Amino acid sequence: MKKKSYISLIFCILTVSLFAADFKTVFSLSPQITINNDKDGAPSPVKFGVGIGFEIPLIQNLLIAPQFTFSTNYYLVANNKVLPAEIENRTALAPSLMFDIPFGYKFSTKNFSITPKIGAGTFLRYGFLAKGISKSESDLVDFINEGFYKDLAWLYPLAEIDFDFVVKEKLMAGFGIKYYLPLGSVLKGETLQNSIFALQFRFAF
C-alpha cells in the first residue's frame, strides 16, 4: 500500500509539472560528499550525481521543485553497520536515486534569481554484489539492502539555495548548494554520519 501511494505521488507531481503554465525543467550535475566518521569504512566518499527536476510555480513566488538525482556508490558491512567502501574493500555496488520534494521562494531580478528551498529527500538504493566479489558474500549484500531502509535511513530532510543567471530568453544557468540531514543517523545520535553535501551545476529552461 505504501509503495502504491508513493508511486501515485510521483505520478501526480510529474503530471502537474507537465501541465503547469510556467514550469521549468532543470538538469543538474552535482559532486557530492557523504560524511563518514567510522574508520572501518571509506573516508568520506565523493561521488557525482546526474539529475533532472522541475520548478513548478504555486502562489506568487512560491514554488515546488521535485528532482531526481542518480548516482552510485560502493558499500561494505563492518560491526553490523552499513558503511561506504573504497573500491579495494567493496562488497556491494548500489545504484541510487534521490527523490527530492522541496518548496522554495524565488527572489528574482531581470537577470538573476536566488531561491532558498526546504523539503525532504527519499534515498532509494539497491545493492548488487560488486564485480569480482565472491558469491559467498551475498548474505552481506542482503544485510546492506536491509540497512538502506531500516530505522528511517532512507529519509533525508534537506535545505538548499540556488543561484541562477539568465543566459538568454527562457534559459538560465547557475549553481546550488544543498545539504541532506540523515534522519536515521540523527535518531541514533550520529547527526553528521551519512550527511550529504552537494554542489549542483544547474541548467533550467
Side-chain angles (χ1 to χ4, degrees):
M1 184 62 70
K2 289 184 179 180
K3 184 176 180 180
K4 290 182 178 179
S5 299
Y6 191 74
I7 293 173
S8 298
L9 175 61
I10 294 175
F11 177 78
C12 288
I13 290 172
L14 292 177
T15 301
V16 170
S17 69
L18 291 174
F19 289 97
D22 291 324
F23 84 92
K24 291 184 179 296
T25 301
V26 181
F27 291 99
S28 64
L29 300 173
S30 56
Q32 307 170 10
I33 183 168
T34 301
I35 301 301
N36 177 42
N37 295 319
D38 195 311
K39 63 181 181 180
D40 290 321
S44 299
V46 176
K47 58 185 178 180
F48 292 87
V50 178
I52 182 172
F54 305 95
E55 290 190 348
I56 307 165
L58 298 174
I59 302 172
Q60 296 182 348
N61 293 335
L62 184 67
L63 56 85
I64 184 172
Q67 182 177 19
F68 301 87
T69 302
F70 175 80
S71 62
T72 62
N73 201 33
Y74 290 113
Y75 293 90
L76 56 75
V77 177
N79 298 320
N80 289 318
K81 293 182 179 180
V82 177
L83 300 172
E86 296 178 286
I87 190 169
E88 299 86 359
N89 298 315
R90 71 199 187 280
T91 298
L93 171 65
S96 308
L97 186 68
M98 181 69 86
F99 175 46
D100 300 344
I101 308 181
F103 290 88
Y105 192 90
K106 186 181 291 289
F107 300 90
S108 58
T109 65
K110 183 178 179 180
N111 298 311
F112 176 69
S113 68
I114 298 177
T115 311
K117 300 173 182 174
I118 58 172
T122 300
F123 202 12
L124 306 175
R125 294 175 284 181
Y126 191 84
F128 300 89
L129 191 67
K131 184 177 180 180
I133 303 302
S134 171
K135 291 184 179 180
S136 63
E137 297 197 26
S138 295
D139 289 345
L140 293 178
V141 177
D142 292 338
F143 184 90
I144 289 169
N145 285 324
E146 290 175 6
F148 287 157
Y149 300 97
K150 186 178 180 181
D151 299 326
L152 296 179
W154 51 271
L155 186 57
Y156 281 73
L158 68 90
E160 175 181 359
I161 186 165
D162 298 325
F163 304 87
D164 294 311
F165 303 85
V166 175
V167 177
K168 62 180 182 178
E169 186 179 4
K170 295 185 178 180
L171 175 62
M172 302 187 75
F175 66 95
I177 301 169
K178 185 180 293 190
Y179 171 66
Y180 293 95
L181 178 69
L183 190 57
S185 296
V186 171
L187 295 176
K188 295 177 181 177
E190 303 173 343
T191 303
L192 286 179
Q193 179 69 11
N194 297 316
S195 291
I196 301 173
F197 294 87
L199 174 63
Q200 288 193 132
F201 298 97
R202 298 160 39 85
F203 301 91
F205 60 91

